[in-house]
Amino acid sequence: MELIIYYTLFAITVGFALGVLLNKNTVKSAMSLVGVMICLAANFLLMRQEFVAFIQIIVYAGAIMVLFLFVIMLLNLRERETTPWYLRSTRFWGGALGLTFFFVMAWGLQVFSAGTTEPAMAAVQADLAARNTPEITVLSTKMITHYIVPFLLTSVLLLVAVIGAIVMARRQDEDGNEILVEDEVA
Amino acid sequence: MQFLFDFLGQFIGGPANAFMVVVALIKIALILGGILQVVPFIILFERKIISWVQDRPGPNRAGPWGVLHGILDGAKLFFKETITPSGVDKSLYLLAPVIVVIPAFVALCLVPVGPIIEGSHLAALANFFGLDPAMVGPSGQINRIAFAITNPNVGILYVLAITSVGVYGITLAGWASNNKWSLLGGIRASAQMISYEITLSLAIISAILLSGSLNLYDIIGSQTAPMNGASVNPLAFLHWHVFAAPVAFLLFIVAMFAETNRVPFDLAEAEPELTGGFHTEYSSMRFALFFLAEYVNMIIVSAMCSTLFLGGYLGPVMLDWDQWAQWASNLVPPQTAGLYPLVVIAGYLAGPAVIFPAKIAFFLFLFIFARATLPRFRYDQLMNLGWKQLLPIGLVNFVLVAITVGIDLAIRAGMDGGLEANKHMLLTSKLTLGAVTLALLLIYDRFVLTRNRQKMLASEYRGLGARRDYPTPFVAS
């Protein structure tokens, strides 16, 4: 049963992924990407990782892709714009990079998953089920004990990005004084 | 009835599976059917309440007191011609209303309408319907039945995820219509919903912190008052999260108006500016789907607000129904002592049939009353409110709620006399901190926000043509 669902999901995911690449219309392309995100969330659900699945939808489908769509609509890319010289051979370089990425990922999976066999995964899941702790408890405990440094570093990185965005978006007049939104109303 | 499930179970792996499927279908029929029947009457009441505010009789032609207006409106939309304007992006244009409606109805599955039946009451229920105790019963395969279609572990995240997908429908409707006003409406809607989702999440996090779980039934369970063997607890409502986190409750209410695109945040469909906004180019049932989704979304956010902050299906006064049933069955002569199960059933049905609908009705009235009395925000005012005022309040409130929970945990860790002796202390600390948070908000509003508002009004006044140094009536300092 699970195998049937998995392969159906797999087919739908690949279909949406192809839709992202092959659609001429950028809005439809973005919507296909939303479909891919939701299919990935469904895959997480199939692995019984409810928390990760819904975070996937909230963050990627609910926030990031809406911003993508927002920008696409504001730019209103209907016509094909003239391509600059460094983007002339996109198809060749894109294809080459994509294939390289695919082989690196395949090789990595081969190497790193050599030790983990399916019984080992089953043992982990059985252990979790036996302890009867919700996955979110396990996740959060790991995150604020074992992985606290990467967690904090990521937050600092995000904070830097936010401050950078504010600095870039802030406008100044000729004397270097800040232009406030309040002064521009009406 | 056992033979029915035995028969069905041959096809789907056991009678327990068949029972679960049948019960789920009944729940879906009840909740979905109920909501679809209720929506026309909400629309009728909306028109009636607005007309009372404006001192006119309102709809009163179809049926006595105009009760048929909502239903006939639906029938009218059903029989109207479906127009697809030329120049629309056909596939996305047809997809948009569907994307709006489906998340709204999926989110309905999560709403915990009533209590979970388990223990001896489930055994009695199984006995009443003649079911095998090995299939349904305290130690059977199915040992609890909830008054909700599904009950996932991360219920509140599910609601957030599903409702955040609904914004695509509105945005795409605006884009696919090939109409610049529709596009503006769609873009406004997406920007607004992203901005206020943050405030909404911060308010929800406060409730999650207080209950320590993402499961909707656990959240309601953490607002249950202890009974200690008494037959009635008249102050049970003090355990609702609204008293421990009043600021989060207020933030949730503001954000829920914005999330459902209702007045004063209905910029996405501002009639005087955008001639209807994202649904301008939709007619007939396609328009009706947008309309339906808006009302279903209102019901969902109202249900979520009552679940998170007002104890969901819990009444303001807690009764121990078993004791009352015992008392009632002692009143009548022994030969007619059939009153006991009736009172227990009444106890189970009081939540889903009376208390929960009453709470939802309260919020729906709030939505309608706001529409009748408040003017629409301007776009920059909307963004200003969301990012510069609600977001900082939400962040500070989050820290204060975390302190409340920390004190709660400290009291629990340090108490010797058990939970019983310290329950008043636990409740008092929560209520005190809630009151302190509310007081801080009022002080902040009085001394900071009011001044900022006056400053902004003054600069707007200058923008109308007054000179920068001209004394304006709004300047405070």
Side-chain angles (χ1 to χ4, degrees):
Chain A
M1 186 67 192
E2 264 181 30
L3 215 60
I4 301 172
I5 300 176
Y6 173 75
Y7 279 113
T8 321
L9 257 180
F10 175 75
I12 299 173
T13 316
V14 171
F16 273 126
L18 286 176
V20 178
L21 291 175
L22 301 178
N23 254 321
K24 283 264 162 63
N25 188 324
T26 36
V27 171
K28 284 181 189 167
S29 220
M31 283 314 292
S32 304
L33 198 50
V34 176
V36 174
M37 302 296 180
I38 291 173
C39 286
L40 285 181
N43 259 319
F44 282 126
L45 270 187
L46 207 58
M47 294 182 234
R48 306 218 158 62
Q49 299 298 312
E50 288 174 333
F51 180 72
V52 186
F54 292 125
I55 289 296
Q56 163 92 9
I57 295 187
I58 292 173
V59 173
Y60 285 98
I64 291 180
M65 285 315 295
V66 175
L67 285 179
F68 268 44
L69 208 62
F70 194 65
V71 171
I72 291 172
M73 286 179 177
L74 282 182
L75 294 177
N76 213 1
L77 294 167
R78 289 277 169 87
E79 299 295 315
R80 200 148 207 245
E81 290 181 8
T82 50
T83 36
W85 61 269
Y86 51 86
L87 285 180
R88 291 276 158 75
S89 44
T90 336
R91 283 197 182 183
F92 173 73
W93 288 115
L97 276 175
L99 275 180
T100 317
F101 182 68
F102 175 77
F103 282 118
V104 168
M105 286 299 281
W107 175 74
L109 278 176
Q110 192 77 42
V111 170
F112 290 111
S113 64
T116 32
T117 46
E118 246 177 70
M121 287 305 290
V124 171
Q125 281 188 348
D127 184 37
L128 278 180
R131 271 188 286 165
N132 196 23
T133 37
E135 57 167 311
I136 181 167
T137 317
V138 180
L139 204 74
S140 47
T141 315
K142 280 272 177 205
M143 198 180 268
I144 58 171
T145 52
H146 195 254
Y147 296 107
I148 183 71
V149 174
F151 180 63
L152 286 181
L153 281 180
T154 320
S155 340
V156 171
L157 202 66
L158 283 172
L159 189 66
V160 169
V162 169
I163 294 173
I166 292 173
V167 168
M168 283 173 75
R170 204 177 63 172
R171 284 176 297 170
Q172 296 177 336
D173 59 14
E174 299 87 55
D175 309 331
N177 295 322
E178 198 178 341
I179 299 177
L180 293 172
V181 183
E182 280 90 333
D183 293 336
E184 291 185 346
V185 173
Chain B
M1 263 169 107
Q2 184 63 38
F3 69 96
L4 180 71
F5 300 116
D6 284 339
F7 173 71
L8 288 174
Q10 293 174 349
F11 305 106
I12 45 175
N17 277 1
F19 181 77
M20 272 165 71
V21 170
V22 169
V23 168
L25 285 177
I26 293 173
K27 285 185 209 164
I28 291 170
L30 279 179
I31 294 179
L32 205 65
I35 295 295
L36 284 175
Q37 298 311 309
V38 153
V39 166
F41 292 100
I42 298 175
I43 296 171
L44 174 75
F45 273 99
E46 172 155 26
R47 292 174 64 182
K48 277 281 181 191
I49 290 170
I50 291 175
S51 63
W52 291 334
V53 171
Q54 295 166 349
D55 198 15
R56 58 187 170 83
N60 59 359
R61 296 289 120 181
W65 199 72
V67 278
L68 294 177
H69 269 269
I71 296 163
L72 292 179
D73 268 348
K76 181 197 74 178
L77 281 170
F78 201 81
F79 287 114
K80 278 210 164 186
E81 187 192 353
T82 312
I83 300 166
T84 309
S86 59
V88 299
D89 189 316
K90 193 103 188 248
S91 53
L92 290 180
Y93 178 80
L94 293 179
L95 193 63
V98 180
I99 299 183
V100 174
V101 163
I102 289 178
F105 279 109
V106 171
L108 268 183
C109 302
L110 275 299
V111 177
V113 185
I116 295 176
I117 309 175
E118 54 189 344
S120 60
H121 292 162
L122 186 66
L125 190 79
N127 189 34
F128 180 76
F129 284 107
L131 300 171
D132 185 2
M135 182 177 85
V136 181
S139 53
Q141 272 177 291
I142 297 168
N143 51 21
R144 57 213 308 249
I145 300 177
F147 273 78
I149 298 174
T150 57
N151 181 23
N153 267 336
V154 289
I156 190 68
L157 283 185
Y158 196 155
V159 176
L160 270 180
I162 289 295
T163 47
S164 68
V165 172
V167 69
Y168 285 110
I170 292 177
T171 318
L172 285 180
W175 187 81
S177 293
N178 196 23
N179 169 337
K180 67 176 84 158
W181 306 122
S182 296
L183 178 63
L184 274 177
I187 285 177
R188 279 182 179 186
S190 57
Q192 174 182 330
M193 285 170 113
I194 290 180
S195 309
Y196 280 78
E197 212 157 73
I198 300 169
T199 310
L200 193 78
S201 311
L202 281 172
I204 290 175
I205 284 175
S206 307
I208 294 174
L209 261 184
L210 283 168
S211 39
S213 173
L214 294 171
N215 183 298
L216 290 169
Y217 271 105
D218 288 352
I219 292 174
I220 293 179
S222 69
Q223 304 177 58
T224 316
M227 294 302 291
N228 314 320
S231 61
V232 58
N233 184 348
L235 292 177
F237 62 91
L238 285 177
H239 290 261
W240 293 353
H241 287 337
V242 61
F243 296 106
V247 178
F249 176 66
L250 294 177
L251 286 175
F252 191 99
I253 286 186
V254 176
M256 90 185 182
F257 274 78
E259 285 293 308
T260 47
N261 284 320
R262 293 285 298 187
V263 177
F265 300 102
D266 64 335
L267 287 116
E269 42 189 302
E271 289 92 354
E273 305 158 31
L274 303 177
T275 59
F278 62 90
H279 56 59
T280 307
E281 304 289 353
Y282 284 87
S283 55
S284 181
M285 279 312 280
R286 292 178 194 160
F287 169 73
L289 286 182
F290 283 118
F291 216 62
L292 181 68
E294 180 177 331
Y295 282 87
V296 173
N297 276 328
M298 275 162 64
I299 294 174
I300 288 165
V301 288
S302 308
M304 282 305 135
C305 196
S306 6
T307 304
L308 291 170
F309 295 104
L310 294 183
Y313 54 78
L314 301 174
V317 175
M318 283 281 278
L319 300 174
D320 188 332
W321 291 95
D322 270 333
Q323 285 191 29
W324 285 97
Q326 201 67 55
W327 177 76
S329 61
N330 286 340
L331 274 186
V332 291
Q335 60 268 30
T336 55
L339 219 51
Y340 184 88
L342 278 183
V343 176
V344 171
I345 291 170
Y348 270 108
L349 288 183
V354 181
I355 296 162
F356 201 49
K359 285 176 185 171
I360 292 179
F362 165 73
F363 285 110
L364 290 178
F365 177 77
L366 205 65
F367 273 116
I368 296 168
F369 198 68
R371 181 174 166 195
T373 47
L374 289 178
R376 182 179 301 124
F377 273 98
R378 216 176 43 217
Y379 194 71
D380 62 306
Q381 291 171 334
L382 173 96
M383 286 295 153
N384 195 33
L385 180 71
W387 290 102
K388 290 191 188 168
Q389 298 179 9
L390 294 184
L391 182 58
I393 293 173
L395 285 171
V396 173
N397 176 55
F398 171 55
V399 174
L400 289 173
V401 170
I403 292 172
T404 313
V405 175
I407 292 174
D408 189 74
L409 289 176
I411 295 174
R412 273 169 203 272
M415 62 195 187
D416 342 298
L419 203 64
E420 200 37 53
N422 291 282
K423 68 180 197 315
H424 293 300
M425 195 174 159
L426 279 171
L427 187 61
T428 320
S429 80
K430 268 192 191 175
L431 294 183
T432 317
L433 278 155
V436 167
T437 324
L438 195 63
L440 282 177
L441 177 73
L442 291 176
I443 292 170
Y444 178 65
D445 178 66
R446 175 69 188 80
F447 291 105
V448 183
L449 289 183
T450 311
R451 248 189 67 197
N452 286 354
R453 258 200 305 276
Q454 285 169 337
K455 259 177 158 173
M456 216 170 81
L457 279 173
S459 69
E460 282 171 25
Y461 189 77
R462 278 199 302 271
L464 291 174
R467 269 178 34 216
R468 186 168 271 263
D469 52 348
Y470 193 80
T472 58
F474 304 112
V475 178
S477 53

